């Protein structure tokens, strides 16, 4: 794996080393089910994996029909052309339609995401397909424990699993698709769009505008810090936007949803993740990929990331502590980070997930390994 990843980094994208297929040409049929709306971290993880895996296996993603957020964001816009999309009724008859879709499509693996889809598949209890699920949040229902295999995206989740869980547990983090470097002209233009000039110190936040993401703490801390020449821009949309705009009193730029949100990290001089609850912290990894220093609240996933990567942690619900951290970074010379994030790279996550599928399939059908190799 290390040798392949080294080649991936050295060779241009068109020569990158693919995930190998079986000698016999056998392709797995992988059905991912995510019955949420909008496009946040869980949806991005599904879109990245399925789009990559579809080059070597048959992949379908099952969505509910109202998969778009009020702002128009949807996982469907981020799925590759080789991914088949199956839409189900949003509320009435959803489980029955899912059962019919599984019978028609005949997957080898049904991989569920979030609570509703996992509950439905646990109730259907497919006999021929392996049921695999990802804990994007917490163990917030008994249905996760009826799966054949369970992915923890962060170390803290493993400690919450009961000892009598019969399935196989895998620790596989959320994926990262490294972002191409912006040229100076594009970075300057992006900073202008985000409300900052060349000499301004641009502090950024990215995420859904909901109470759990804690952007009210960041707004209060920014106002308390009183940094001359500093700008705060928050990229994202959500139900808390109007309340945050009132709290900011015109001192913060709110961009709404941006399709180029991953580019924005390279425009920031500092990135802040002020979440009250964060199971993993995908935006932290994306910010490190963008080379920007990071401040995050000391919660769950960010705490795990900070054990291995340069992330400054501050207590949650403490605007004064965050303001002090903002002042500390502001007073240092501006810097760009260069961090080895290969453990999160999409190629490694795809390989590890496919290996997990095969381990479960082999446990059910011992002869499969001779026919299918990832």
């Amino acid at each position: 794996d290390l040798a392949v990843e080294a080649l991936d980094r050295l060779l241009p994208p068109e020569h990158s080393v693919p995930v190998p297929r079986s000698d016999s040409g056998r392709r797995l049929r992988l059905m991912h089910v995510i019955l949420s709306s909008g496009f946040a971290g869980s949806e991005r993880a599904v879109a990245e994996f399925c789009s990559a895996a579809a080059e070597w296996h048959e992949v379908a993603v099952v969505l509910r029909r109202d998969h778009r957020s009020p702002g128009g964001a949807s996982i469907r816009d981020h799925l590759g052309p080789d991914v088949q999309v199956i839409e189900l009724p949003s509320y009435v008859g959803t489980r029955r339609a899912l059962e019919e879709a599984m019978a028609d499509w005949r997957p080898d693996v049904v991989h569920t995401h979030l609570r509703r889809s996992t509950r439905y598949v646990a109730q259907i209890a497919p006999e021929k397909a392996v049921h695999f699920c990802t804990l994007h949040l917490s163990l917030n229902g008994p249905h996760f424990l009826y799966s054949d295999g369970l992915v923890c995206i962060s170390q803290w989740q493993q400690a919450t699993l009961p000892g009598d869980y019969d399935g196989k547990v895998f620790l596989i983090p959320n994926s990262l698709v490294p972002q191409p470097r912006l040229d100076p002209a594009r970075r300057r233009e992006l900073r202008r769009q985000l409300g900052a000039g060349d000499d301004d110190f641009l502090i950024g936040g990215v995420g859904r505008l909901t109470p759990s993401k804690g952007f009210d703490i960041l707004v209060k801390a920014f106002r308390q810090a009183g940094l001359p020449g500093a700008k705060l821009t928050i990229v994202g949309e959500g139900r808390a936007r109007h309340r945050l705009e009132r709290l900011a009193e015109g001192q913060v730029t709110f961009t709404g949803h941006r399709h180029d949100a991953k580019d924005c990290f390279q425009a920031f001089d500092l990135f802040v993740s002020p979440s009250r609850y964060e199971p993993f912290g995908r935006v932290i990894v994306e910010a490190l990929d963008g080379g920007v220093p990071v401040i995050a609240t000391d919660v769950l996933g960010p705490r795990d990331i900070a054990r291995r990567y340069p992330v400054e942690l501050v207590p949650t619900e403490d605007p004064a502590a965050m303001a002090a951290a903002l002042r500390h970074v502001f007073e240092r010379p501006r810097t760009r980070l260069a961090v080895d994030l290969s453990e999160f790279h999409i190629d490694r996550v795809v390989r590890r997930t496919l290996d997990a599928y095969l381990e479960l399939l082999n446990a059910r059908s011992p002869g499969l390994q001779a026919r299918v190799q990832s």
Side-chain angles (χ1 to χ4, degrees):
D1 282 352
L2 290 174
V4 169
E5 286 163 9
L7 287 171
D8 284 345
R9 291 193 292 271
L10 288 171
L11 295 174
E14 62 268 23
H15 296 111
S16 61
V17 179
V19 175
R21 284 179 52 187
S22 68
D23 293 337
S24 64
R26 169 78 157 85
R27 290 163 66 90
L28 295 176
R29 294 179 65 80
L30 311 176
M31 175 179 279
H32 284 245
V33 188
I34 182 164
L35 302 177
S36 58
S37 63
F39 189 71
S42 301
E43 292 78 17
R44 182 179 293 279
V46 175
E48 288 180 354
F49 175 84
C50 291
S51 298
E55 185 172 352
W56 302 284
H57 298 284
E58 304 294 332
V59 180
V61 174
V62 180
L63 309 174
R64 66 192 223 194
R65 290 194 182 122
D66 62 340
H67 47 77
R68 293 195 179 276
S69 69
S74 170
I75 183 177
R76 184 151 195 171
D77 300 331
H78 300 266
L79 294 171
D82 295 327
V83 178
Q84 181 180 344
V85 176
I86 301 171
E87 293 189 2
L88 306 180
S90 299
Y91 297 105
V92 179
T94 309
R95 189 179 71 180
R96 180 185 294 271
L98 175 58
E99 187 170 7
E100 292 173 355
M102 290 168 57
D104 290 342
W105 207 75
R106 294 172 297 169
D108 295 304
V109 176
V110 179
H111 190 151
T112 58
H113 304 269
L114 304 173
R115 183 165 52 186
R116 189 182 180 203
S117 63
T118 303
R119 183 175 73 250
Y120 285 168
V121 172
Q123 292 168 348
I124 294 168
E127 294 182 2
K128 296 184 178 180
V130 163
H131 180 197
F132 201 79
C133 66
T134 293
L135 279 182
H136 292 282
L137 303 174
S138 62
L139 189 67
N140 55 359
H143 35 273
F144 291 99
L145 302 177
Y146 291 102
S147 63
D148 299 298
L150 193 155
V151 168
C152 294
I153 61 173
S154 197
Q155 292 171 317
W156 70 268
Q157 293 173 328
Q158 292 179 298
T160 69
L161 301 180
D164 58 355
Y165 171 57
D166 292 332
K168 180 72 174 178
V169 179
F170 304 89
L171 178 62
I172 305 176
N174 275 339
S175 57
L176 169 70
V177 176
Q179 196 72 352
R181 299 300 94 180
L182 301 180
D183 61 49
R186 168 60 179 156
R187 184 173 183 269
R188 184 176 297 110
E189 170 59 21
L190 189 53
R191 284 175 61 89
R192 186 192 64 77
Q193 294 176 16
L194 298 175
D198 292 344
D199 296 329
D200 293 324
F201 186 84
L202 180 57
I203 301 169
V206 177
R208 288 178 293 113
L209 305 188
T210 60
S212 68
K213 295 301 181 182
F215 286 116
D216 57 313
I217 301 171
L218 175 55
V219 170
K220 292 175 183 176
F222 176 72
R223 297 185 63 186
Q224 288 182 26
L227 308 176
K231 307 285 186 180
L232 173 60
T233 296
I234 297 176
V235 178
E237 192 56 83
R239 65 181 185 274
R241 177 168 179 170
H242 295 310
R243 184 171 65 87
L244 290 169
E245 288 176 332
R246 290 194 298 271
L247 180 65
E249 296 183 352
Q251 299 182 37
V252 179
T253 298
F254 293 89
T255 72
H257 176 75
R258 288 184 65 112
H259 292 289
D260 61 351
K262 287 183 68 175
D263 281 342
C264 293
F265 294 110
Q266 296 181 51
F268 299 147
D269 297 301
L270 170 66
F271 175 75
V272 182
S273 174
S275 296
R276 294 181 168 91
Y277 174 76
E278 194 66 71
F280 177 68
R282 169 182 289 271
V283 291
I284 295 174
V285 176
E286 291 176 340
L288 292 172
D289 176 61
V292 61
V294 176
I295 293 173
T297 44
D298 187 9
V299 294
L300 298 174
R303 188 182 306 146
D304 284 344
I305 294 173
R307 291 190 180 104
R308 306 186 306 283
Y309 297 95
V311 176
E312 182 175 351
L313 297 178
V314 298
T316 189
E317 302 289 356
D318 193 339
M322 184 170 288
L326 294 178
R327 285 191 291 268
H328 176 68
V329 177
F330 177 78
E331 291 166 357
R332 297 196 312 241
R334 298 190 196 187
T335 185
R336 307 305 292 182
L337 303 179
V339 181
D340 180 5
L341 300 167
S342 56
E343 70 166 299
F344 304 110
H345 284 187
I346 183 65
D347 57 348
R348 174 175 279 194
V349 170
V350 168
R351 288 185 179 93
R352 292 178 64 186
T353 306
L354 291 175
D355 284 345
Y357 292 163
L358 289 168
E359 183 174 337
L360 295 179
L361 288 166
N362 276 315
R364 178 169 292 186
S365 302
L368 182 68
Q369 189 169 21
R371 301 194 301 272
V372 183
Q373 291 292 333
S374 167

